[in-house]
Amino acid sequence: MNHGRARFIVGFLFFPVLLYVVYVIWPYLQTIGYSLTDWNGFTPEVPYAGFGNYADLLKDETFLRSLYHNAVILVVYPIVTILLALFFAFMLNVGGRGDKAGVRGVAGSGLYKTIFFFPQLLSIAIVAILWSRIFESSTDTGFLNALLAKVGIVDPQHPLLFLGETNSWLIPGIPFGDTVLDAPVVLWCLIVIAVWGGVGFYLVLFSAGMQSVPKDIFEAALLDGSTRGQTFFRITLPLLWEQISVAWVYLGIAALDFFLLAYAIAPPSMQATGASHVMSSWIYHTAFGSSRYDKFGYACAMAVAMAAFTFIFALIQLRITRREKIEF
């Protein structure tokens, strides 16, 4: 009986596992192998280079700069997205007035969730066109420059560059504000776009978690004299910790990638200067850029390093945020 069950399980899983090994595991192993070569991606010759490509990564100023850009995104993007999503989810689900029916969300919360989630439905091409017009460096066709010019913040003759700005926004008065936050303006614009596109998804995720919590818990806290802020920090956050941990992993992985935004929205001039490069976009440029066709093996070394960073981040994050599940 057990032997028959084992054969059934093996037969059921054989082809899915085979496909996974062929189309997922094997390409990973090939990438690791090519990272130890000087292969140009086209010729049949694959000269062995050992760990020289990995040593060169420490000397590649553009790669190190791209790594720093990813670090800035990794710090800012998940924190801002999760905080905004938590705030809006709490307001929509528990922010309504308490009455005889108990605590409830604000009126029209379903419509608000749909509006917030809408950016998830847009393709990257539409997002690129939309935000390129918003950040355009002109007071005639650039929405944000025109708005700032209307209120007198921007001189119409000298509009802000936004996506074309390679300099950094330094924040005085903040410790290390001239170093830790020293990232090009174009990178901050990409982070704004990413937050705009991601808040809606995690708002829906956190809303689902909040709706699974019995409203009696919130009502009992309010009857005991708790304010909405105390209710949020003492009840909502602990009960949503599992969803927050998952969101942090997803957002961290997205922050270490960031390829689509950096490639589709940043102008080619920014990509040429490296101001908008993240690790993934520099990998693509190194492997397929018109002037670097002989660097395919080196690009594979970058990809392996990026995968290692992502794996280490996920392990550390899951270790830090691991807590016992709260039952209710």
Side-chain angles (χ1 to χ4, degrees):
M1 188 71 176
N2 291 333
H3 182 66
R5 180 190 298 178
R7 284 193 302 176
F8 172 77
I9 294 175
V10 171
F12 185 77
L13 294 178
F14 177 76
F15 287 104
V17 171
L18 178 63
L19 291 175
Y20 184 81
V21 169
V22 171
Y23 292 105
V24 179
I25 302 298
W26 180 239
Y28 277 122
L29 296 177
Q30 283 184 309
T31 302
I32 295 174
Y34 287 136
S35 71
L36 302 176
T37 70
D38 283 331
W39 188 42
N40 63 9
F42 297 95
T43 60
E45 294 80 15
V46 185
Y48 181 74
F51 291 94
N53 287 331
Y54 292 97
D56 292 340
L57 290 179
L58 302 177
K59 307 173 187 177
D60 189 338
E61 294 184 2
T62 305
F63 176 78
L64 296 177
R65 187 181 183 188
S66 301
L67 177 61
Y68 173 76
H69 291 170
N70 276 111
V72 173
I73 297 170
L74 184 60
V75 171
V76 177
Y77 174 47
I79 292 176
V80 175
T81 302
I82 289 176
L83 288 179
L84 288 176
L86 278 172
F87 173 76
F88 289 130
F90 184 76
M91 294 302 296
L92 291 179
N93 290 279
V94 195
R97 295 182 177 181
D99 53 22
K100 295 180 179 180
V103 177
R104 58 186 179 183
V106 298
S109 60
L111 176 62
Y112 293 133
K113 292 175 187 177
T114 302
I115 294 173
F116 275 108
F117 190 80
F118 181 73
Q120 291 287 319
L121 306 179
L122 301 178
S123 69
I124 188 63
I126 296 175
V127 172
I129 294 173
L130 174 66
W131 282 94
S132 295
R133 295 300 299 268
I134 292 175
F135 284 131
E136 191 169 345
S137 305
S138 170
T139 54
D140 296 326
T141 56
F143 174 80
L144 190 53
N145 267 307
L147 180 63
L148 295 176
K150 283 288 185 180
V151 298
I153 297 178
V154 170
D155 182 358
Q157 302 300 322
H158 301 88
L160 299 177
L161 296 180
F162 291 116
L163 295 178
E165 181 60 79
T166 59
N167 293 326
S168 306
W169 281 340
L170 305 183
I171 304 178
I174 296 180
F176 309 108
D178 59 341
T179 54
V180 175
L181 299 178
D182 186 7
V185 172
V186 60
L187 191 69
W188 291 110
C189 294
L190 295 178
I191 293 175
V192 169
I193 298 171
V195 171
W196 169 82
V199 164
F201 176 83
Y202 295 99
L203 182 152
V204 173
L205 175 66
F206 297 149
S207 294
M210 291 180 187
Q211 289 172 358
S212 66
V213 178
K215 291 293 180 68
D216 296 345
I217 297 177
F218 295 108
E219 294 169 5
L222 295 177
L223 290 175
D224 288 339
S226 297
T227 63
R228 293 299 171 101
Q230 292 172 329
T231 302
F232 176 79
F233 287 105
R234 295 180 180 274
I235 296 178
T236 304
L237 276 182
L239 294 179
L240 286 181
W241 191 255
E242 187 174 352
Q243 288 88 343
I244 294 173
S245 177
V246 171
W248 204 286
V249 172
Y250 286 168
L251 287 168
I253 293 174
L256 290 173
D257 180 9
F258 229 69
F259 172 76
L260 288 177
L261 285 178
Y263 185 78
I265 297 179
S269 59
M270 294 297 97
Q271 298 175 22
T273 61
S276 65
H277 270 312
V278 292
M279 284 190 292
S280 55
S281 63
W282 184 236
I283 291 171
Y284 178 85
H285 180 77
T286 300
F288 305 107
S290 58
S291 62
R292 298 176 67 91
Y293 276 140
D294 59 337
K295 297 292 185 178
F296 198 86
Y298 183 54
C300 288
M302 292 185 194
V304 172
M306 179 178 168
F309 291 146
T310 305
F311 182 72
I312 293 171
F313 163 79
L315 287 180
I316 294 175
Q317 194 278 335
L318 290 173
R319 180 70 177 177
I320 292 174
T321 60
R322 186 175 63 183
R323 291 186 181 182
E324 293 185 4
K325 186 175 181 180
I326 300 176
E327 301 289 344
F328 52 83

